[in-house]
Amino acid sequence: MYVPAHLAETRPEELARIIREYPLGVLVTHDAHGLDANHLPFEFDPDAGTHGVLTAHVARANPVWQQCASCSPVMVVFRGAEGYVSPNWYPSKHEAHRQVPTWNYEVVHVHGLLTVRDDERFVRGMVGRLTRRHEAEEPRPWKMSDSTPDFIDSMLRNIVGIEVAITSLVCKRKLSQNKEERDRLGAADALQAAGNTELAQSMRAPG
């Protein structure tokens, strides 16, 4: 990924925030059949290993877990807040007419080594953690014990766990850092008014 220096984000807490708030990652793999991409909700443990560990699961019917041998190099892409930015939102545009449209975004590319975890204990624990996290805001959170044990067991048999030991993380936050403050904040206000609160907040404090 091309990352100009002024758009590079290296703060661990910001990388973790993007992964945590936008956990649906794109797992990019490469094997004898070529490139493949799978969209999976990931859990991120920043304290495991050297750079952290990602865990997820795939359907047993998905060939990716058989086509990628353990320790295969992979990339997982997490796309955070993003949106179109009109030049009309910059105050300076109306004075000099020297602005063009752009697209702002936050993205993290995680590189690592994939390990297949086809064991019931791992999969059950991972599904339990995912469930607790994403059900936390529900008025009556669903939990695995809400279903019968035999039903849950049958569901778990149909999925396979994967683990990505992270070797490096690269983050790019394109938030109009190259613009005058009044233009950046003007665009943020327009995004806020359009309902894109997440991108507007990031642009107001790009770091």
Side-chain angles (χ1 to χ4, degrees), residues 42-53:
F42 281 88
E43 280 284 293
F44 176 43
D45 183 353
D47 300 319
T50 305
H51 300 286
V53 170

Side-chain angles (χ1 to χ4, degrees), residues 134-195:
H134 296 292
E135 285 285 325
E137 301 301 319
E138 292 294 313
R140 187 178 176 184
W142 182 91
K143 52 188 182 298
M144 293 171 71
S145 60
D146 287 351
S147 297
T148 61
D150 60 328
F151 175 75
I152 293 297
D153 290 346
S154 69
M155 293 292 100
L156 294 179
R157 285 194 293 270
N158 287 320
I159 60 177
V160 177
I162 62 170
E163 190 173 73
V164 178
I166 298 172
T167 55
S168 66
L169 301 96
V170 179
C171 181
K172 182 177 183 179
R173 301 178 73 215
K174 182 178 176 294
L175 303 170
S176 298
Q177 295 97 322
N178 61 327
K179 302 295 183 182
E180 296 179 40
E181 183 178 24
R182 61 172 180 155
D183 286 339
R184 176 170 52 80
L185 296 179
D189 289 344
L191 286 163
Q192 180 81 45

Side-chain angles (χ1 to χ4, degrees), residues 100-111:
V100 295
T102 192
W103 204 282
N104 281 355
Y105 57 90
E106 301 174 301
V107 66
V108 178
H109 285 193
V110 177
H111 299 264

Side-chain angles (χ1 to χ4, degrees), residues 1 6-7 16 19 28 31 33 36 51 63 69 74 81-82 84 87 100-101 103 105 111-112 121 168 178 186 205:
M1 175 170 61
H6 69 287
L7 303 182
I19 296 173
V28 181
D31 58 26
H33 302 280
D36 192 16
H51 300 286
V74 298
E82 52 86 18
Y84 173 78
V100 295
W103 204 282
Y105 57 90
H111 299 264
R121 182 177 180 182
S168 66
N178 61 327

Side-chain angles (χ1 to χ4, degrees), residues 72-84:
S72 295
V74 298
M75 179 171 69
V76 184
V77 178
F78 294 94
R79 194 177 74 173
E82 52 86 18
Y84 173 78

